[in-house]
Each structure stands twice: as C-alpha cells, then as structure tokens.
Amino acid sequence: MDIPVGRELGDFLRSRRARIRPEEVGLPGHGRRRVPGLRREEVAHLAGVSVDYYIRLEQGRGPSVSDAVLDAIGRVLRLDDTEQEYLRTVARPADRRASGARRTSAAGSAPQRVRPGLRLLLDTLDRAPAFVLGRRMDVLAWNDLGDAVLGFSQLPPEERNMPRQVFLNPLTRELYPDWPAVAAETVAHLRLDAGRHPQDRRLATLVGELSLGSEDFRRLWADHQVKEKSYGSKRMVHPVVGELTLPYETLTVPGEPDQMLVVYTPKPGTRTEERLRLLASWAATPNGC
C-alpha cells in the first residue's frame, strides 16, 4: 500500500497551523478557539487565497498549486527551507508519483549498491567512523571504525536500518544518552524520505512495523516534523571505551541522490579522539582482546 497522499498533505498543514500562535502573525490571540494555532480561514486570508481554495488544498483535493501559493502559505506557517521543500513535494502528488515511478523503474527490485570507489573512500577514513545510508535509512556500507562504534556487522542484514535500531533495539537507549533527540531526528528524516517516495512499499511496511512496535515512533510520526540529516553532534556511551562526543557531517553521494555518506568528525586533542584510537586498536585485535 502507498503512503496516503491527500491525508499526508492535510496532516502536515494542520500540524504546522497548530504551532503558530495568532499573535505571532498580528491576529488577536484572545477569545475561545476549538483548536490550537491558526484557523484555516486565517491561513487563507494571510496567504492571499480564498478560504475554499485553501480548504480543498488541505483536504488533498485541490488543483495543481503554484509555487507562489505554496511560498505564501509557507511564509504564513513559518516553514523552514526543508519544510517548504516537503510542502512542495506532498502538494503535487502527480509529480512525485511520476518521479517515484521513474526511480522504481530505473532501480527495479534490486537492492541498493554502493559503488567500489565509495567503498574505497570509506576505507581511507581510518581515523573517522563513517558509513553510507540509503533509502529508508538502510545502512549500506561502513568502515572499520564505524563498525567498531555502531556494530553494523554484528546485525543481521535485515536489521541494518537506523530507524529499526533506534526504536526496536532496547540497547540503543543505553548507547545514546540523548535518545529522545536522536529518535526525533530519525523520524524527521524518515518522514522527508516518505514525502519524496510515496510509492515505496518497503517504506510503508517499515513505518507499519515501527508503529506497531513503538509508541514513541507513533507519537513522533504523527507530529509530522521533517528535517534533513545534514550535520550535528551525537553523544554515545560505548560499551568498551565509554562516552564519546561525535560531531557529524552528512554528504549526498554524487550520482546517487538516495545515498548519504555520514562521517563522524571527532575534534583533535579531545578524549573522544583518544578513545576512538583505543577503540580502533581494540577492534584490530583478534576477538577484541
């Protein structure tokens, strides 16, 4: 089953309306309101479109909508660049269905592959944990230090997926002291992927599995946050070397828009850098002894 298009658009717009207080956009904030945030009529007025047009758009049954209208709605709802891109994607189901169909036709049913040159690049990053994520945040490849930090090779192939590990593996909560933030970031990126690929049956299956298995995932998925996985920092408590503070950079692989190279970049001279050297040495020793 595909991810519902009209409902996805409507739920996203309603969630963005709910977070805007009327006084933030120059409207009176007093008086009784049945729902938090802006009313549909208020969004339509501020965006310069008719109320009927906006209601049909939110219900997913409107005509093809222009960039100018989407930009106006985005300004009213104070969308950031990623949210605005997501709005444009989900507001044009015909375009994204065609795009998704072309990608599906091009890729077929074969699993995603990491080209040899990228694998060689991973191996040259011997001082930085690194790995490649594909569609649905599947883990496609990694270097030795990335494996030593996150243990990808110890997982069955079907479990090498970041959302599945974050929400269905209880050990992940021990690995990440800031687990709530990691969980929210993971869902926000998965939601962005879902917007770009509405016909991905494997993604729909994954979302269903996570929804059944995790109340936290259901709550975060319903919040409709979207976010690029671009850069940031994660704290981890590794079972061998202890706490690590790992800034990271995420780069889209040239020629492979659905693959991302994630590189953890420990600051020179820190305890984390020292502990990663110890971990690399430990991992290179047979049986970790």
Side-chain angles (χ1 to χ4, degrees):
M1 121 182 120
D2 298 344
I3 296 172
V5 174
R7 193 180 71 187
E8 187 178 357
L9 171 60
D11 287 349
F12 178 68
L13 287 172
R14 284 187 289 273
S15 71
R16 302 307 90 177
R17 282 198 288 118
R19 70 179 183 176
I20 304 295
R21 297 194 305 273
E23 53 269 27
E24 292 182 71
V25 292
L27 297 173
H30 58 273
R32 299 186 60 182
R33 288 177 174 261
R34 292 182 300 171
V35 294
L38 297 179
R39 300 185 179 101
R40 291 181 297 186
E41 295 82 359
E42 292 167 338
V43 174
H45 172 72
L46 292 168
V49 299
S50 73
V51 174
D52 180 67
Y53 184 95
Y54 180 79
I55 289 174
R56 286 188 287 118
L57 178 64
E58 197 167 283
Q59 291 175 343
R61 58 184 182 89
S64 179
V65 58
S66 69
D67 285 346
V69 169
L70 293 177
D71 288 345
I73 292 172
R75 285 193 296 273
V76 173
L77 299 180
R78 301 194 171 186
L79 304 184
D80 62 24
D81 290 343
T82 302
E83 291 171 325
Q84 188 68 38
E85 177 203 345
Y86 180 79
L87 175 61
R88 290 189 181 193
T89 301
V90 298
R92 292 167 174 155
D95 291 350
R96 67 189 185 123
R97 285 184 189 278
S99 176
R102 286 194 298 271
R103 289 193 182 192
T104 300
S105 175
S109 59
Q112 294 182 90
R113 302 293 185 188
V114 175
R115 58 180 182 254
L118 184 56
R119 289 185 180 273
L120 286 173
L121 175 61
L122 279 172
D123 291 338
T124 65
L125 300 171
D126 56 346
R127 296 175 57 188
F131 52 93
V132 177
L133 293 180
R135 292 291 326 286
R136 302 165 294 275
M137 300 181 75
D138 288 340
V139 183
L140 306 181
W142 53 84
N143 64 5
D144 288 342
L145 194 50
D147 193 28
V149 171
L150 291 166
F152 298 125
S153 65
Q154 305 303 311
L155 299 171
E158 66 274 10
E159 294 185 15
R160 293 170 187 162
N161 171 270
M162 297 304 285
R164 185 173 282 115
Q165 287 302 307
V166 168
F167 290 98
L168 301 184
N169 185 346
L171 296 178
T172 308
R173 294 176 185 259
E174 300 177 15
L175 176 65
Y176 297 112
D178 306 313
W179 185 89
V182 172
E185 177 188 88
T186 300
V187 173
H189 183 78
L190 192 66
R191 170 67 75 178
L192 194 60
D193 192 47
R196 292 168 175 164
H197 302 275
Q199 294 183 312
D200 187 339
R201 296 176 184 271
R202 289 179 59 190
L203 177 56
T205 299
L206 174 64
V207 169
E209 177 186 347
L210 296 172
S211 297
L212 288 173
S214 170
E215 181 179 350
D216 289 303
F217 179 84
R218 291 195 300 273
R219 172 179 53 80
L220 290 167
W221 187 254
D223 199 32
H224 285 265
Q225 297 294 330
V226 291
K227 183 180 179 182
E228 289 279 10
K229 183 180 175 64
S230 52
Y231 64 93
S233 182
K234 282 189 170 69
R235 286 196 305 138
M236 301 181 191
V237 179
H238 193 275
V240 174
V241 296
E243 185 167 328
L244 303 170
T245 300
L246 292 167
Y248 66 86
E249 296 287 339
T250 302
L251 309 173
T252 300
V253 177
E256 299 287 351
D258 290 330
Q259 293 184 12
M260 302 180 296
L261 173 63
V262 183
V263 183
Y264 289 123
T265 55
K267 293 182 180 180
T270 61
R271 288 186 177 180
T272 291
E273 184 189 44
E274 178 183 349
R275 289 171 179 173
L276 285 178
R277 286 199 301 268
L278 291 174
L279 185 59
S281 177
W282 173 85
T285 304
N287 299 320
C289 299

